[in-house]
Amino acid sequence: MSVVPAPASTALPSADWDVIVLGAGAAGLMAAIAAGQRGRRVLVLDHANKVGKKILMSGGGHCNFTNTGTTPAQYLSDNPHFCKSALARYTPQDFIELVDRHGIAWHEKELGQLFCDGSSKQIVQLLLDEADAVGVQVRTHCLVQLPRRVDDGYAIDTAAGRLRCASLIVATGGLSIPSMGATGFGYDLARGFGHTLVPTRAGLVPLTLSGKHQERLDALSGVALDVEAGCNGAFFRNRMLITHRGISGPAILQISSYWQPGDDLRLDLLPGRDALTWLQTQQAERPGTELKNVLAELMPRRFAQRLCEIWLPNRPMKQFTPPQLQDTAALLQAWPLVASGTEGYRTAEVTLGGVDTGGVSSRTMESQHAPGLYFIGEVLDVTGWLGGYNFQWAWASGMAAGSAA
C-alpha cells in the first residue's frame, strides 16, 4: 500500500467520509482496518512524514508487538476497570494470528514479550496491507485544525481542504517523544468537546539523580545489575542501568510509572535471595573475605566497591557482629535511592494520564459528550507496563472503536 503525502496543494479524492481517523499509529491503523472491514469509507490522516513511527522504533527495531500475559492488572488508569472490555474482546492471540497470517516470524524474549525476528517495518507493512485490502486511504504530511460538530457528523479543515465525516476517531497519542511529532492536539480536541483530562506526566522513563546522589554514582555510568525496584506498593524485578544522568533499564522504567518526586524508592540489590541468610553463610564459609569481594560475586565489582565506600562498612566478614550483619542485609534488600525527577517526555515511552475515561464508553470508545467521536490508544488515561502491553491496548482499543464507528 502506498501512503500518499497530502500537502496543501494536493486535494483528497473525496471530501466526505464515513470515518476519519486522526493518527496513523498502531491504534489509528487498527481502528481504520476494523472500520474498513465493515464496509465503511475510511480516511487516516497524520501530520508526520511517515506512519507508525513508534512502531518502527519499538523493541530496538524489532517491535515488541504484544505480551501473552496481558491482563487488566498491567494497566494504570484512574478507572482500572475501563480497559477490561476491549482487552477481553481483542486478545494477544488475535494479533498473533494476524502476524502469523502475514508470515512474520517472531519470538518470545522474556516475560511473555513477543518480538519480530526481523524488522518493526513488518508490523507497519502488515497494518498498511490490511488497510489497503479494505480500501482505507492514508495520508501523511496532513495538518488538521480542531474539528467542529456539524449536523450529520464532523467537519475538519486540513491542509488538503475541508473534510466531513460521520465518525471521527482520535488516535493522536500522548506527549511522549516530541521529536517524533508528539503533541497535545488530542487533548485540546477532547477539551473542546467537553471532556476532562487526568493530569499527564511521563511514564516508562529514566529517573534522574542530582547533587550528592548523582555524584556518588557518576563514575558507574554504564554499569547494569539485577534489582527489584519498589515504590508505592509496586515491585518490578529486572535490570537497572546506571547512566550519567541517573538510572534506567527495564526495572526503573517500570517503576517510574508509579513514582513521583518525593516518593520513597527502594531497590532490592539481591533479588530472589534472603540477604541475611546469604550473608551469614558467607561469614561462616569465608570469614576472612572482605564484604566488597563477597558482594562482587552477585553484582558488578565496581558497584559493590562503591556500595562499600558510601553505604556499607567494608571489612572481613568475621568482623561483622550479628546486629551489623542484620543492618547490612536490611540495606541490601531496601537500598534507598533519592531520585530528583525523570528525563521527561523527551525519552518517555508513554504518557500517563490523558482523556478521562469517565466520559468514554469502555465498550466502543465513543465519547459520551459527542456522538460519533471516539478516543483510542495513548490519548486515553490508560497506560500499560513495559513489554508489549501498550501495543496490545492500541490493537484492542482500535478494534473496539473501528467496530462501532
Side-chain angles (χ1 to χ4, degrees), residues 81-83 85-86 89 357 360-366 368 400:
H81 302 291
F82 179 83
C83 64
S85 176
R89 287 180 293 121
T357 60
V360 180
S361 165
S362 63
R363 182 167 182 81
T364 65
M365 307 292 133
E366 185 174 15
Q368 295 177 357

Side-chain angles (χ1 to χ4, degrees), residues 283 315 317-327:
Q283 186 179 56
R315 60 173 73 108
M317 295 300 296
K318 63 185 178 183
Q319 294 182 13
F320 283 87
T321 65
Q324 289 172 338
L325 214 58
Q326 290 177 350
D327 290 344

Side-chain angles (χ1 to χ4, degrees), residues 3 22 35 44 75 91 101 127 134 187 224 234 240 291 313 355:
V3 180
L22 300 181
V44 181
Y75 294 86
T91 68
R101 196 160 68 242
L127 296 169
V134 292
Y187 304 141
M240 175 180 77
L291 177 62
V355 177

Side-chain angles (χ1 to χ4, degrees), residues 1 78 86 93 104 115 123 191 232 298 364 381:
M1 176 182 188
D78 272 12
Q93 187 57 42
I104 299 173
F115 292 78
I123 298 298
R191 286 192 197 95
N232 290 322
L298 297 181
T364 65
D381 173 35

Side-chain angles (χ1 to χ4, degrees), residues 17 40-42 130-137:
W17 301 83
R40 305 285 275 168
R41 292 178 301 114
V42 184
E130 287 286 317
D132 187 49
V134 292
V136 171
Q137 298 290 313

Side-chain angles (χ1 to χ4, degrees), residues 47-96:
H47 71 282
N49 60 350
K50 63 173 68 173
V51 304
K53 280 192 168 185
K54 269 198 169 182
I55 300 174
L56 292 170
M57 60 83 69
S58 70
H62 293 281
C63 188
N64 180 192
F65 57 82
T66 192
N67 192 299
T68 58
T70 298
T71 73
Q74 286 87 39
Y75 294 86
L76 290 79
S77 173
D78 272 12
N79 178 4
H81 302 291
F82 179 83
C83 64
K84 291 181 177 179
S85 176
L87 290 173
R89 287 180 293 121
Y90 193 83
T91 68
Q93 187 57 42
D94 291 322
F95 194 76
I96 291 169

